[in-house]
Amino acid sequence: MNKNQYKEKAAALTAKLTLEEKIGMIHGAQLFQTKGVERLGIPPLKMSDGPMGVRQEFYPASWKTVGNSDDFVTYLPCNSALAAAWNRRLAYDMGSVLGEEARGRGKDVILAPGINIKRSPLCGRNFEYFSEDPYLTKELAVPFVQGVQLWDVAACVKHFAANNQETERLWVDVEIDETALRTIYLPAFYEVLTKGDSLTVMGAYNKLRGEHCCQSDYLLNQLLRREWGYDGVVISDWGAVHDTYLAANSQLDIEMSVTYDFDSYFMADPLREKIEKGEISEAVVDEKVTRILMLMMRLHMMDGQRKTGEYNTPEHRQKVLEIARESIVLLKNEHHCLPLSVEKTKRVLVIGDNADMLHSNGSGSAEIKALYEISPLMGIKMLLGGNAQVVYARGYCRDEEEASDDVNWQETSLENGGGRVGSAQETAALAQKRRELRREALSLAAQYETVIFIGGLNHAQDCEGNDRPDMKLPYEQDLLIKELLAVKPDMIVVLTGGSPVEMNAWISDARAVVWSYYAGMEGGRALAEVLFGKINPSGKLPETFYKTHTDCSAHCIGEFSGEERVSYKEGVFVGYRYNDTFRVEPQFCFGHGLSYTEFCYEKCRIVQEDGKTFVQCCIANTGRYEGAETVQLYLAPPNLGKKEPVQELKGFDKVFLLPGQTKTIRILAEDCREGDMLRVGSSSRDIRWMGKI
Ligand code: BGC
């Protein structure tokens, strides 16, 4: 059936429904579910978070988890990890794993992926998002969504739009110029909703130019429906609707929230009453219901033709491992410190809380009840086996209070603006404990030939409803790393987390530094494989690793986490677009990532075919290891206007090569014009070739 046929059929079914029945379909009747209409065989719409796997079951009207043993799932790498792999096929595969598991768990809509732009490194939900770059985001999010929807499950891209901070997220009003909105913050949504055909989209909590996103005339009516012609279903974020009249007359289709008074939601009884009084036209509800029924038809929810899906399959775990392997980024590797040798390593000291910490069950709505999660420490032990001695020292401790099981953060998530800037707790007892842990780690470090530090962030920092105050490593890790490097200069530093951290205190002393985003259930195994050379790292940073957060344009030109209003004064100069144009040196630039082998770029040239422009290159692996290189193509317009960045990513390709092997690749250069300069490189600052169109 084509779209028009679905629409006709859906409209005919809508005509048979009573107002009461229709109202039941356009708002949450449970925390993750709407009402169906049994007499006509219309099922409820079942939704679930989230981006790193299908979330555990909650009771219908309580933020308490059911606690059965049947909702453990495959724990996927976060979207930032996926983005670090720069691999479109893996994005499709990850989407497909998520979609198949969602269907396997009986869901209709999976509330993922998050595709907001990383405007500041301090935003607590950055790990759920792909990148600071709209091109990279869309190139991965489109196949991701297509992979999800293979399984008769709808993706729900979120959060539309300009949702780039957690502080005051329910009320903050984003002020942004039209060019920045359209060139940085909207393109990924546009592509995913049109080309990617995402069947649903979630509106954001924040306001944009004075209007709440979930009832915004500009965003929903003018842009999404009229300009983009989107006919999928728009779902509100949980508690993001504030007015019956505005929501009903906007193109929002379903209102969801975190409270249990389902009949009192703005698009529940209050809307029915206004329609009965003639204050709002019933036709607006018909439109919404027709779109919901179209969605149900497209998902085969009523025709007995639906795919069944599966969860926790060995194939899913294998995919997750593949993604984790490709997501790890080798930031620094002087004197070929890495890889470590499996044969020669007999005694290893592993230091750091993150070596032994599991992350799957933290982070807000992206939390996962993982079937299992391999920690880095377990990964190393699994790889080295019983003949090596692996000793663990914690090195530092966290300071969060243990969350009580009775209170789910989501229950109170609409209070106090919905988000805050986190702060560290420092007590004399904590300081003392850390001194002791440091002393223990230091005395052990001197006795071991191989020392690996594994620290970084956890979901106390990378968390929904929370922004970081700065980029500093928490828990006095800087001091610990610095002191450890003084006694053990070849110590391998591994950082895991969801967003970049300051490294100024010790980076010049460290020889080898590895970065891993939250990499899913197989993350620890993948990390060990990289450290010991079973896997050659091929991840590249999908965002700028600033030296400090004030080197980021959102902080030094624009405003970040203002209480009521936040002005994106930096315009289009987001991420590397700012640093490259205004010559601000990052710690590690966008697109950076080393390999154990070397790649040589040869015979690059511009090829024009069928009105399209490509760069063709021969990439040779001239080193000893097999490996993969992500070749990046940046567009640099010649006569720059004052408001244009010096370069922008417009193409990439990842190529796998055996030692000595050469492959010819062709990369399509998007949006280029005659006279433009094309730059081809291994990162945004390691440009190997330039050519003019
Ligand atoms: C988050 C959404 C999530 C929803 C449902 C909200 O707090 O912003 O991303 O999908 O809750 O859990």
Side-chain angles (χ1 to χ4, degrees):
M1 248 196 283
N2 64 31
K3 276 191 185 177
N4 283 339
Q5 290 166 316
Y6 277 128
K7 197 168 180 183
E8 265 174 41
K9 225 178 137 191
L13 191 50
T14 306
K16 295 186 187 154
L17 297 169
T18 65
L19 178 60
E20 185 83 28
E21 287 167 339
K22 287 185 282 194
I23 292 284
M25 291 175 66
I26 63 169
H27 70 88
Q30 300 185 6
L31 292 175
F32 286 101
Q33 192 169 311
T34 58
K35 262 196 199 140
V37 182
E38 227 182 317
R39 71 177 179 96
L40 292 171
I42 301 171
L45 198 65
K46 295 182 186 158
M47 310 174 209
S48 175
D49 286 302
M52 299 200 284
V54 189
R55 201 172 174 190
Q56 69 268 50
E57 295 298 330
F58 286 85
Y59 286 106
S62 157
W63 285 106
K64 282 199 170 56
T65 52
V66 174
N68 286 347
S69 65
D70 58 0
D71 55 358
F72 289 92
V73 289
T74 301
Y75 165 37
L76 309 169
C78 66
N79 282 340
S80 302
L82 176 66
W86 291 64
N87 185 328
R88 297 174 181 92
R89 183 186 56 82
L90 287 184
Y92 182 80
D93 290 349
M94 184 155 129
S96 171
V97 169
L98 185 60
E100 189 177 8
E101 297 233 339
R103 190 74 280 281
R105 286 269 307 278
K107 307 299 176 193
D108 305 312
V109 179
I110 183 81
L111 306 170
I115 61 169
N116 292 107
I117 292 295
K118 301 189 193 199
R119 174 174 176 254
S120 153
L122 306 187
C123 171
R125 290 187 88 170
N126 274 356
F127 70 97
E128 292 188 55
Y129 305 143
F130 288 80
S131 173
E132 66 188 26
D133 183 79
Y135 175 82
L136 181 59
T137 303
K138 81 167 166 75
E139 285 298 298
L140 299 173
V142 167
F144 185 107
V145 163
Q146 289 167 337
V148 169
Q149 296 188 165
L150 264 184
W151 294 99
D152 295 340
V153 166
C156 184
V157 284
K158 60 193 191 182
H159 310 86
F160 187 62
N163 183 188
N164 310 100
Q165 68 178 52
E166 292 301 286
T167 311
E168 287 296 322
R169 63 177 177 158
L170 299 184
W171 294 98
V172 71
D173 189 3
V174 172
E175 211 172 69
I176 181 173
D177 71 71
E178 196 63 17
T179 313
L181 185 65
R182 284 179 183 264
T183 51
I184 304 290
Y185 298 95
L186 293 180
F189 282 103
Y190 174 73
E191 291 282 323
V192 170
L193 294 173
T194 55
K195 193 162 124 199
D197 202 19
S198 178
L199 293 171
T200 76
V201 54
M202 186 188 295
Y205 275 129
N206 53 285
K207 292 183 191 166
L208 178 71
R209 298 184 190 137
E211 288 185 309
H212 267 289
C213 291
C214 287
Q215 49 194 44
S216 158
D217 176 58
Y218 175 68
L219 267 183
L220 303 185
N221 304 357
Q222 296 181 40
L223 205 86
L224 188 71
R225 299 287 191 210
R226 247 171 265 151
E227 201 181 310
W228 297 357
Y230 182 66
D231 62 3
V233 168
V234 182
I235 301 170
S236 78
D237 202 339
W238 271 231
V241 174
H242 299 270
D243 183 278
T244 298
Y245 183 84
L246 292 176
N249 285 302
S250 78
Q251 293 286 319
L252 176 77
D253 297 311
I254 299 178
E255 179 194 1
M256 299 301 289
S257 190
V258 299
T259 55
Y260 314 138
D261 53 343
F262 304 107
D263 292 338
S264 309
Y265 284 11
F266 293 96
M267 296 220 300
D269 286 351
L271 175 55
R272 187 180 42 76
E273 283 158 22
K274 281 198 181 333
I275 291 173
E276 281 162 358
K277 282 193 212 147
E279 290 170 19
I280 293 178
S281 155
E282 188 167 344
V284 297
V285 175
D286 290 349
E287 259 190 59
K288 298 179 199 301
V289 170
T290 302
R291 275 192 295 265
I292 294 167
L293 288 170
M294 267 173 79
L295 167 70
M296 291 181 168
M297 289 170 186
R298 292 171 78 186
L299 295 177
H300 301 286
M301 286 172 66
M302 296 180 285
D303 63 7
Q305 305 287 312
R306 199 168 190 195
K307 291 185 182 139
T308 50
E310 266 188 280
Y311 62 113
N312 292 325
T313 68
E315 293 76 27
H316 291 179
R317 298 193 280 276
Q318 184 57 35
K319 268 295 159 232
V320 161
L321 174 59
E322 257 180 68
I323 300 163
R325 283 173 172 157
E326 287 197 32
S327 75
I328 294 166
V329 187
L330 179 59
L331 293 176
K332 189 172 176 184
N333 194 19
E334 282 174 8
H335 313 302
H336 299 284
C337 269
L338 286 171
L340 300 167
S341 151
V342 180
E343 291 71 34
K344 289 190 200 140
T345 306
K346 293 293 167 232
R347 292 177 74 238
V348 192
L349 174 65
V350 179
I351 304 171
D353 190 62
N354 264 355
D356 194 29
M357 187 178 180
L358 304 184
H359 298 283
S360 48
N361 60 358
S363 82
S365 58
E367 69 186 358
I368 284 305
K369 189 166 153 187
L371 183 62
Y372 62 81
E373 177 180 351
I374 300 175
S375 69
L377 185 62
M378 179 145 89
I380 292 170
K381 287 195 169 184
M382 280 161 42
L383 188 140
L384 288 178
N387 290 343
Q389 186 198 6
V390 181
V391 170
Y392 173 64
R394 199 169 175 206
Y396 66 92
C397 62
R398 280 167 262 151
D399 55 18
E400 310 83 43
E401 293 156 33
E402 294 298 318
S404 135
D405 278 341
D406 307 339
V407 188
N408 179 289
W409 65 275
Q410 212 150 7
E411 188 162 3
T412 52
S413 62
L414 300 185
E415 290 167 14
N416 306 325
R420 61 181 166 85
V421 180
S423 61
Q425 305 161 19
E426 266 303 338
T427 61
L430 263 176
Q432 174 61 20
K433 191 167 173 200
R434 292 204 178 112
R435 264 196 299 278
E436 281 161 20
L437 288 171
R438 232 174 5 248
R439 207 174 301 136
E440 181 204 28
L442 281 164
S443 78
L444 283 170
Q447 303 164 33
Y448 283 79
E449 214 164 280
T450 307
V451 180
I452 306 172
F453 173 82
I454 305 180
L457 305 175
N458 60 53
H459 286 306
Q461 297 86 34
D462 292 313
C463 185
E464 184 169 343
N466 178 70
D467 291 323
R468 289 186 295 164
D470 52 44
M471 279 172 57
K472 291 203 188 327
L473 273 169
Y475 320 131
E476 297 181 46
Q477 290 179 76
D478 278 338
L479 182 61
L480 173 64
I481 300 173
K482 199 164 173 54
E483 290 186 359
L484 284 168
L485 284 169
V487 290
K488 196 73 198 153
D490 61 354
M491 177 179 82
I492 310 297
V493 179
V494 178
L495 297 173
T496 65
S499 355
V501 294
E502 269 182 30
M503 304 179 195
N504 302 331
W506 47 264
I507 190 69
S508 53
D509 302 334
R511 294 184 191 159
V513 184
V514 174
W515 174 264
S516 170
Y517 288 104
Y518 303 111
M521 66 204 300
E522 292 282 342
R525 188 199 304 269
L527 179 64
E529 289 176 338
V530 164
L531 296 176
F532 288 92
K534 301 258 176 205
I535 291 291
N536 187 351
S538 66
K540 301 266 189 185
L541 295 179
E543 63 187 303
T544 304
F545 272 35
Y546 307 95
K547 287 185 175 159
T548 178
H549 75 275
T550 48
D551 286 349
C552 160
S553 58
H555 299 270
C556 61
I557 305 180
E559 296 164 359
F560 181 78
S561 94
E563 300 240 310
E564 280 167 26
R565 183 182 294 183
V566 56
S567 175
Y568 289 20
K569 287 186 200 140
E570 72 282 5
V572 299
F573 295 107
V574 174
Y576 68 89
R577 285 171 169 75
Y578 164 72
N579 292 66
D580 293 349
T581 309
F582 294 88
R583 296 167 200 261
V584 178
E585 193 75 19
Q587 191 69 66
F588 294 105
C589 70
F590 178 82
H592 171 74
L594 304 173
S595 168
Y596 296 151
T597 191
E598 283 93 50
F599 299 103
C600 194
Y601 290 51
E602 294 159 351
K603 299 186 204 147
C604 296
R605 64 189 179 94
I606 292 172
V607 178
Q608 288 185 307
E609 244 175 52
D610 303 331
K612 290 184 181 151
T613 304
F614 302 84
V615 171
Q616 184 170 305
C617 280
C618 295
I619 310 296
N621 180 348
T622 55
R624 287 189 293 125
Y625 295 85
E626 65 176 58
E629 169 73 329
T630 295
V631 181
Q632 301 159 40
L633 191 156
Y634 294 87
L635 183 73
N639 305 313
L640 273 185
K642 262 201 170 147
K643 293 195 168 159
E644 282 176 277
V646 287
Q647 61 171 4
E648 294 183 281
L649 182 75
K650 291 293 175 186
F652 69 87
D653 197 9
K654 189 163 188 173
V655 50
F656 293 81
L657 295 166
L658 298 171
Q661 195 183 11
T662 302
K663 277 188 193 165
T664 304
I665 55 164
R666 245 185 204 200
I667 307 178
L668 173 70
E670 260 192 23
D671 306 328
C672 58
R673 282 166 304 192
E674 213 178 308
D676 282 348
M677 192 65 106
L678 295 179
R679 298 178 176 175
V680 175
S682 180
S683 81
S684 59
R685 287 177 175 236
D686 181 3
I687 299 297
R688 307 288 180 91
W689 180 86
M690 290 199 284
K692 200 170 177 179
I693 304 176

